[in-house]
Amino acid sequence: MSSTHIVSIYDEELKYLTRRISEMGGTAEQMVSDAVRALVTTDGALAQKVISEDVVLDNAERQINEKAVLTITKRQPVSADLREILGAVRIAAELERVGDLGKNTAKRVIAVQGSGMPRKLARGLEHLAELALMQLKEVLDVYATRSVEKAKAIRERDDEIDAIYTSLFRELLTYMMEDPRNITPCTHLLFCAKNIERIGDHATNIAETIYFMATGAQPEGERPKDDNTASLVAAEPSA
Amino acid sequence: MSSTHIVSIYDEELKYLTRRISEMGGTAEQMVSDAVRALVTTDGALAQKVISEDVVLDNAERQINEKAVLTITKRQPVSADLREILGAVRIAAELERVGDLGKNTAKRVIAVQGSGMPRKLARGLEHLAELALMQLKEVLDVYATRSVEKAKAIRERDDEIDAIYTSLFRELLTYMMEDPRNITPCTHLLFCAKNIERIGDHATNIAETIYFMATGAQPEGERPKDDNTASLVAAEPSA
């Protein structure tokens, strides 16, 4: 009877961590989605809202860390329960960084304002963001269900995001070469695209953490963490 | 007698973590320093060496994580000892990312090759890297000594790096506007500068973790995590 009581309090503590992670995930998704919308519609007020929300994730991460230390100290968990708590700490750190990337994207709205972003670029950025957010959403669903198979699948599927990022990167370089007035706004859009591409990386890191929580091991096999633009050289414009 | 024996084995485990973190720190510093040298001297072979070293940090982080889980399970540490182990896990993750940034910088050597980087830009990048590496080196020294006061000081001193990064950012935009042939190499240099600026952020994160390990709390007060270029608009070149 007393032991059941202890177990159920302990379950409450694990549920607290799971719930806070889900909340952080929802906030991070909303921030990124709003940041991209603010960028494409040059909505300064929406950008400001995103910037001010970052503190929510900072505080949530701190609270999750404190709860983790308290729970390990009080319950002295081992194996799966311990991995559960350590995994929550790692996922909270990833989500806090996703929020930072949303905030940095929102900050660039002001530099891009008034530059008349070509429709094609805006669509490219929106599409990139949709894919990255879908990956983040799926990995948070996997966190709720702890499916090892699904975690592995997400980890192996970063390629589409990379392909779109590479094509956006090329396109932005071309715009910059066409007209020097495009250089400043397109530079900021390059960093925005990179921010969104990195959200895909964080989703992949979360998938690896879920795999670790479920199995105690890291998933096998190399995965390409870097994008493909690092050695990309654009064709020079015809004079 | 038996209790002394257990304590000394436990100390060995904590020492193992401290030693592995120091090794990771040394590797990460060397990678970043080599990457910037490869960039400035366009040394493809050195760049390749940096790229191939990344796996060393990936493996070290995995081993530190495994050791942490084992040690918590076997020893069930509380308070300072528990924070010591959790802190090592967090610092290992930061150092693995520093290595990723070195690798990404090295990958860009090929895209910058043959572009004849102006001496002023090369000096700017080298200076930025010196400051970031000094910050990383100092924070690793603080990790060895666990000085809370020094950890706080490092955290509050990211400003110089940001100032140099902002000036490099401006300069790169200017070169791009002067000649469209500069656009591709300068774009890659922008990402390299951003990579190096982010190393300063990771050093700051490590300083915060050391503060947490020593005190069980997060340092108070906001700290500016973002750079100042997000809303920077360059003057257009005179026609």
Side-chain angles (χ1 to χ4, degrees), chain A residues 8-222:
Chain A
S8 82
I9 291 172
Y10 183 33
D11 273 355
E12 282 309 309
E13 283 164 341
L14 294 184
K15 268 186 201 149
Y16 170 87
L17 290 175
T18 307
R19 183 169 56 74
R20 294 306 307 271
I21 292 282
S22 295
E23 284 170 9
M24 278 188 84
T27 304
E29 278 175 40
Q30 190 63 50
M31 280 175 72
V32 172
S33 161
D34 285 349
V36 173
R37 195 150 55 85
L39 194 67
V40 169
T41 60
T42 58
D43 181 340
L46 187 57
Q48 208 48 56
K49 177 172 165 275
V50 173
I51 293 166
S52 68
E53 264 164 357
D54 188 49
V55 69
V56 176
L57 293 185
D58 289 350
N59 289 339
E61 190 198 359
R62 182 173 313 141
Q63 287 158 7
I64 287 170
N65 285 343
E66 283 164 6
K67 187 69 168 184
V69 172
L70 273 179
T71 307
I72 295 176
T73 299
K74 273 203 308 196
R75 307 294 176 192
Q76 314 218 316
V78 296
S79 55
D81 287 338
L82 176 57
R83 291 199 307 268
E84 184 78 15
I85 297 168
L86 295 178
V89 168
R90 275 158 69 170
I91 293 173
E94 300 290 341
L95 291 173
E96 192 272 331
R97 273 158 213 213
V98 171
D100 285 345
L101 294 169
K103 181 182 176 183
N104 183 275
T105 302
K107 279 189 177 176
R108 294 181 192 274
V109 169
I110 211 161
V112 174
Q113 242 163 9
S115 65
M117 193 192 311
R119 190 67 211 128
K120 198 175 161 200
L121 271 188
R123 248 201 317 267
L125 272 174
E126 283 171 329
H127 189 36
L128 187 66
E130 270 164 28
L131 284 177
L133 284 171
M134 199 193 298
Q135 211 179 5
L136 186 61
K137 199 179 156 36
E138 279 179 25
V139 86
L140 290 167
D141 289 347
V142 171
Y143 175 69
T145 61
R146 301 290 196 287
S147 158
V148 177
E149 283 316 307
K150 279 191 189 161
K152 274 179 77 176
I154 286 176
R155 182 175 168 270
E156 285 155 7
R157 215 203 42 197
D158 218 10
D159 294 357
E160 203 178 346
I161 291 180
D162 279 348
I164 292 170
Y165 172 66
T166 302
S167 115
L168 259 175
F169 188 97
R170 271 182 205 282
E171 219 164 304
L172 284 163
L173 287 185
T174 307
Y175 281 113
M176 289 158 98
M177 286 174 186
E178 276 172 11
D179 186 339
R181 283 171 300 185
N182 291 339
I183 289 177
T184 295
C186 284
T187 297
H188 288 291
L189 292 177
L190 269 175
F191 278 106
C192 291
K194 181 72 191 166
N195 285 345
I196 299 169
E197 186 266 342
R198 280 171 62 200
I199 291 166
D201 286 342
H202 288 295
T204 312
N205 291 344
I206 294 174
E208 289 189 355
T209 301
I210 297 169
Y211 187 92
F212 163 80
M213 290 162 84
T215 65
Q218 308 284 333
E220 293 207 3
E222 266 270 40

Side-chain angles (χ1 to χ4, degrees), chain B residues 140-159:
Chain B
L140 290 166
D141 289 347
V142 171
Y143 175 69
T145 59
R146 300 291 194 286
S147 157
V148 177
E149 282 317 305
K150 279 192 189 158
K152 274 180 77 176
I154 286 176
R155 181 175 168 270
E156 285 156 8
R157 215 204 41 199
D158 219 9
D159 294 358

Side-chain angles (χ1 to χ4, degrees), chain A residues 94 96-97 188 225 232, chain B residues 94 96-97 188 225 232:
Chain A
E94 300 290 341
E96 192 272 331
R97 273 158 213 213
H188 288 291
K225 257 194 310 187
L232 195 145
Chain B
E94 299 289 342
E96 193 272 332
R97 274 158 211 212
H188 288 292
K225 258 197 305 189
L232 196 146

Side-chain angles (χ1 to χ4, degrees), chain B residues 113-135:
Chain B
Q113 241 160 12
S115 66
M117 192 191 310
R119 190 67 212 130
K120 197 176 164 199
L121 270 189
R123 247 199 318 265
L125 271 174
E126 283 171 330
H127 189 36
L128 187 67
E130 270 163 28
L131 284 177
L133 283 172
M134 199 193 298
Q135 211 180 5

